[in-house]
Amino acid sequence: MDTRSDDQTSRDSSSRRLVPKTESSTGLRKPHVHAADIDAHVKKFVEDLKSSSVEIQREAAAELRLLARRDVESRIVIASLGGITLLVDLLKSTDLETQENAVTALLNMSLNVNNKAAIVSAGAIELLIHVLGTGSPEARENSAATLYSLSLMEENKLKIGRSGAILPLVELLKNGTPRGKKDAVTALLNLSTAQENKVKIVEGGAVKLLIKLLDPATGLPDKAVTAVLANLAAIGEGASAIGREGGVPVLVEVIELGSAKGKEFAATALLQICMSSEKYCNMVLREDALPPLVVLTMTGSPRAKDKARQLLAYLRNHQRAYAAGARPRRVRNNYAML
């Protein structure tokens, strides 16, 4: 999973479209700024969000996104002054830069646990989905990242899935920027831990896209992608989709050449797939998976070693049964998932 610290998750990279004059106008880069001064700045910008002027709203949202990125206290102050509701309302803005500033501010605000609940209560989920379909590339990226952040609260996972977020996230997997695809994968990873969402993700066509993203040419780390596939392989529809879309040889390749975590999740996914149908056992064996699995039992993480051993035992049982002319004994799927 893409486990990011506050600084890593907060979005406002200076390489992107920041407004230099807004950074200097806050005065926050000057040393010894008093809390009262910060509160006054925040109050002004929150009030400006109510302006009828698009330019003033845009500027205020830009300032608040920077404040929420840099300063933990500012996240609390912005929320206490009613900034969350106003920022959520700006997600409907037809001015793309205002919308982008608002969604990025909410992403940075969501790093505070109490703010997550307030953002959801303000009706943000549906509007974040709106941004996924209408926003600038950066706004779409940060909308997906915000949905990921909100889904860290267990009770929000089903809310997000039931609100219709999965199809737009799958669309971002298909047509987003590299950063957007990574954010979509991370959001889907968290959402796919909920059983109800697994089916929706598979039905939304995510499996084929996830398999394509395991091509090293995409530049995406294999860890999160294989983790999503491992979660989806736990249901019959997911296992079938992975097999049908050519996922078996790709996952075997990850076990041989992937990252340490990628190998672990690939082994988990293949175990689930093999247990779902004998034909997938044959596919795995045809891909000459046994040698890399043996290597993984000796070199992998403790969990990877365990999954590799389980998969090897399952495949060897399958081989012995067919060699003896009998059908392999079905083993109940009791393996723990992610």
Side-chain angles (χ1 to χ4, degrees), residues 94-138:
T94 56
D95 181 74
L96 291 182
E97 191 173 348
T98 300
Q99 185 187 62
E100 181 182 307
N101 288 333
V103 72
T104 310
L106 288 168
L107 170 59
N108 295 339
M109 291 283 291
S110 73
L111 299 176
N112 178 289
V113 173
N114 292 329
N115 286 347
K116 291 184 198 295
I119 290 168
V120 172
S121 295
I125 292 176
E126 290 79 5
L127 290 175
L128 287 167
I129 295 168
H130 168 73
V131 175
L132 279 175
T134 65
S136 68
E138 185 176 348

Side-chain angles (χ1 to χ4, degrees), residues 66-101:
L66 293 174
L67 284 163
R69 174 173 68 94
R70 296 196 203 107
D71 186 57
V72 173
E73 285 301 315
S74 289
R75 297 169 193 160
I76 298 170
V77 176
I78 293 168
S80 71
L81 293 172
I84 286 176
T85 300
L86 295 169
L87 287 166
V88 168
D89 193 54
L90 286 182
L91 297 179
K92 296 180 287 188
S93 175
T94 56
D95 181 74
L96 291 182
E97 191 173 348
T98 300
Q99 185 187 62
E100 181 182 307
N101 288 333

Side-chain angles (χ1 to χ4, degrees), residues 251-317:
L251 289 169
V252 171
E253 185 175 358
V254 173
I255 288 176
E256 187 172 5
L257 302 173
S259 67
K261 276 295 184 181
K263 291 178 181 182
E264 176 184 315
F265 294 131
T268 303
L270 285 173
L271 177 61
Q272 296 289 339
I273 293 166
C274 287
M275 294 173 67
S276 74
S277 173
E278 296 170 11
K279 68 180 179 181
Y280 297 130
C281 289
N282 293 329
M283 289 175 65
V284 172
L285 290 168
R286 285 198 299 270
E287 292 298 325
D288 201 21
L290 297 186
L293 282 170
V294 170
V295 172
L296 190 57
T297 63
M298 298 183 287
T299 62
S301 65
R303 183 175 174 81
K305 289 178 180 178
D306 180 57
K307 293 299 178 183
R309 291 189 190 105
Q310 292 179 39
L311 182 52
L312 279 170
Y314 198 86
L315 291 171
R316 286 167 175 163
N317 173 63

